[in-house]
Amino acid sequence: MKVRGFVLIVLVAVALLMAGCQQQEQPAATTTPAEAPTGEFAGTVYIGFSGPLSGGAALYGQNNLQGIQFAVEDINKAGGIEIAGKKYRLEVVSADDKYSPALTVPNAEKMLEVYKTPVIFCPHSGGILAMEKINEERGFIIGAYTSSPAILQGGNKHIFQIPPNFELVYVPFLSNVFLDKGIKRAATMEGTHEYGVLWGEKFKEYWKSKGGEIVAEAPVNYYTETDFTTHLQKVLAANPEVILVVGPSEPIANLIKTAREMGYEGGFLVAEQAKIEEIMYFLGIEYNFSTKTVKKGDLSLLEKTAGTSAPEALVQLPEVTSDYRNKVLTQDPLIEGYKVTVSRIKERLGDYPVTWEHALEYQAMMVLAKAMDEADSLDPDAIMDAMENKVWPMDGYMGIPSYIYTKLLRIAPWDTRGALNTPGSALVIWDGQVTGYIEIYPKFWGQEYYYTDASGNKVWG
């Protein structure tokens, strides 16, 4: 009874404290409970997150946030991070920016003022670019979950990009899936958000450079629109063989279903913001990746579709094809790391698929935690120095056998030391067969920039 009474007092105190925070108009924070007794820690290091937690991109934002939160939970369970000989627990504070860059910076300002966050994660390029205007001066690192090439082209010294650059990885790879089959007539239905617009531009540039034709364009606001009929009428009137779609998984699934209902039999090139497994989920398709059989639903809805896979599929498929090595793999060092990450996340998500947002944010938080350990400091320069020069290899850290990342690269000529060399992955559905691809590395096609290691040696490009 005494224990229950004490717990009740603590819960009331926490509720009063949270109410006070709301009255002071602090960011809407999602905190992670301590996984070890408070007495084991000298204090708390706060990790910030500003992203869409409401509106059309809420699910995408939540996936990112969960990946960071799950990593923080596991780090705290293992004893936290160590700085200057003292152990500190981590805690995530989050704020909803509704996918609007105009809200991202105010969220960041409040987090810095209230929590002194050494790093703030953001999962959209518009918000990241907005924070790049203040982060070096204010002294915090941006955990950039976007594949947009624009964020590393300003020379920012306190930023690291988590997913692979879509211009160099996904635009050429996914385009070639169709081009190599003689498909030339493409229509575009890219999103109207900054990332969607840039993806559309780079796709059209690459597609036309390879002899393809753009027969129709119908940009879509995937965060406000739910009926895609009018856009599709315009696009389908041009008789495309493939349609580019750039947006979150749920609206993309709705668009694909509507297109099929309108009689479209062509293909879909799905930009990596959406994930094929999530699209399957929203279309009611249950697919056993281990046996490569359909358990429920109509897989033909996704016939002639190429897009990004998620690690959950990759660890279940009996084999995957390495784009880098150009051979079929039954086992791969990266797969072993994915297996541990997926299993840790899956036990928390249940039936919902583990996405790259979950997995990559989870592992990026692990990388950041080790960098803080190695830096022995929360100074952003020290953390970035450690991430570049002291963190690797990551094997074995917090019990994960092999990491997706093996180094932090610089992007020239801007000398931005912020590109994690994350390889891409994809699923292609053709003739009723699902094929997985792994280790998709950059294919430079005329860009003036390239990647180097810390010593200036060219790595990619």
Side-chain angles (χ1 to χ4, degrees):
M1 293 297 293
K2 290 182 179 180
V3 172
R4 290 181 180 176
F6 174 74
V7 171
L8 179 60
I9 291 171
V10 171
L11 290 173
V12 171
V14 171
L16 290 173
L17 177 60
M18 291 177 68
C21 289
Q22 290 173 350
Q23 290 172 359
Q24 296 174 40
E25 296 184 347
Q26 294 173 5
T30 301
T31 58
T32 303
E35 297 293 350
T38 305
E40 294 187 10
F41 298 109
T44 299
V45 174
Y46 294 96
I47 304 299
F49 174 88
S50 178
L53 299 176
S54 64
L59 184 61
Y60 169 73
Q62 187 64 35
N63 291 348
N64 279 271
L65 178 58
Q66 285 178 327
I68 299 166
Q69 289 174 324
F70 295 159
V72 163
E73 290 172 7
D74 291 346
I75 291 165
N76 287 339
K77 286 178 184 177
I81 63 173
E82 184 173 332
I83 298 174
K86 296 181 180 180
K87 289 285 188 178
Y88 292 83
R89 67 183 290 271
L90 301 176
E91 186 170 320
V92 182
V93 291
S94 65
D96 183 9
D97 64 20
K98 307 179 190 301
Y99 215 102
S100 171
L103 297 177
T104 308
V105 170
N107 285 347
E109 294 280 8
K110 289 181 181 179
M111 290 177 186
L112 294 168
E113 178 183 352
V114 178
Y115 301 106
K116 297 179 173 54
T117 48
V119 59
I120 299 175
F121 286 84
C122 182
H124 55 96
S125 57
I128 293 163
L129 290 168
M131 284 200 295
E132 284 193 70
K133 297 176 181 178
I134 68 165
N135 75 302
E136 289 179 297
E137 179 182 351
R138 295 299 304 276
F140 70 95
I141 295 169
I142 301 173
Y145 194 93
T146 180
S147 56
S148 172
I151 66 159
L152 294 183
Q153 296 176 355
N156 197 290
K157 304 303 181 186
H158 296 158
I159 186 171
F160 66 103
Q161 184 174 37
I162 299 163
N165 181 334
F166 71 68
E167 180 182 7
L168 307 181
V169 173
Y170 289 116
V171 167
F173 179 85
L174 296 177
S175 296
N176 289 346
V177 169
F178 297 93
L179 291 168
D180 291 348
K181 296 178 184 297
I183 291 174
K184 299 292 186 181
R185 295 174 58 80
T188 62
M189 297 184 71
E190 66 269 34
T192 56
H193 51 307
E194 191 272 344
Y195 157 87
V197 171
L198 186 57
W199 221 107
E201 290 176 355
K202 294 301 180 181
F203 166 77
K204 284 177 275 192
E205 179 184 340
Y206 183 82
W207 188 263
K208 289 187 284 189
S209 75
K210 298 299 181 180
E213 179 186 2
I214 304 299
V215 298
E217 300 181 38
V220 181
N221 187 334
Y222 288 103
Y223 304 114
T224 61
E225 298 181 56
T226 57
D227 185 351
F228 306 110
T229 305
T230 302
H231 296 289
L232 282 167
Q233 286 174 337
K234 174 183 177 181
V235 164
L236 299 184
N239 194 29
E241 298 173 284
V242 61
I243 301 173
L244 167 72
V245 289
V246 188
S249 296
E250 188 169 14
I252 294 300
N254 292 336
L255 184 150
I256 289 172
K257 182 179 180 181
T258 302
R260 295 305 191 202
E261 290 172 347
M262 295 174 67
Y264 177 62
E265 297 181 353
F268 293 98
L269 192 161
V270 183
E272 81 285 356
Q273 185 175 2
K275 310 298 181 292
I276 300 300
E277 293 88 337
E278 271 193 313
I279 292 172
M280 286 181 173
Y281 177 85
F282 291 120
L283 290 176
I285 301 169
E286 293 183 18
Y287 187 81
N288 188 319
F289 288 95
S290 298
T291 60
K292 302 184 75 172
T293 56
V294 179
K295 297 170 61 178
K296 179 182 176 182
D298 184 4
L299 187 63
S300 69
L301 290 171
L302 294 175
E303 177 62 25
K304 298 179 183 176
T305 293
T308 310
S309 72
E312 187 172 351
L314 296 178
V315 302
Q316 293 181 51
L317 284 168
E319 77 282 325
V320 292
T321 298
S322 170
D323 180 63
Y324 177 65
R325 300 175 188 167
N326 196 28
K327 65 179 182 179
V328 174
L329 303 172
T330 56
Q331 190 175 16
D332 184 83
L334 295 182
I335 292 290
E336 298 309 306
Y338 295 148
K339 286 180 179 178
V340 175
T341 301
V342 167
S343 66
R344 291 182 179 183
I345 296 173
K346 189 65 177 175
E347 65 185 13
R348 294 161 163 116
L349 293 180
D351 293 336
Y352 193 80
V354 179
T355 69
W356 278 123
E357 283 72 42
H358 293 114
L360 295 185
E361 292 281 35
Y362 181 95
Q363 296 205 23
M365 186 63 240
M366 291 290 185
V367 169
L368 183 66
K370 186 173 183 182
M372 291 177 178
D373 276 340
E374 294 288 346
D376 212 26
S377 167
L378 295 180
D379 176 75
D381 284 316
I383 294 171
M384 292 299 297
D385 285 341
M387 197 180 301
E388 185 175 37
N389 300 305
K390 298 180 181 179
V391 165
W392 319 108
M394 286 294 295
D395 289 5
Y397 185 71
M398 295 293 176
I400 295 184
S402 180
Y403 265 79
I404 299 170
Y405 319 115
T406 57
K407 63 185 68 175
L408 187 74
L409 301 177
R410 292 179 178 245
I411 182 168
W414 299 278
D415 198 34
T416 309
R417 55 175 178 180
L420 292 171
N421 67 328
T422 315
S425 62
L427 286 181
V428 176
I429 302 173
W430 212 279
D431 293 333
Q433 298 297 311
V434 177
T435 304
Y437 292 85
I438 196 172
E439 294 188 24
I440 305 172
Y441 285 102
K443 296 177 175 63
F444 284 76
W445 46 279
Q447 291 78 359
E448 296 180 355
Y449 56 92
Y450 54 92
Y451 292 118
T452 76
D453 60 20
S455 301
N457 300 312
K458 186 181 288 190
V459 178
W460 290 338

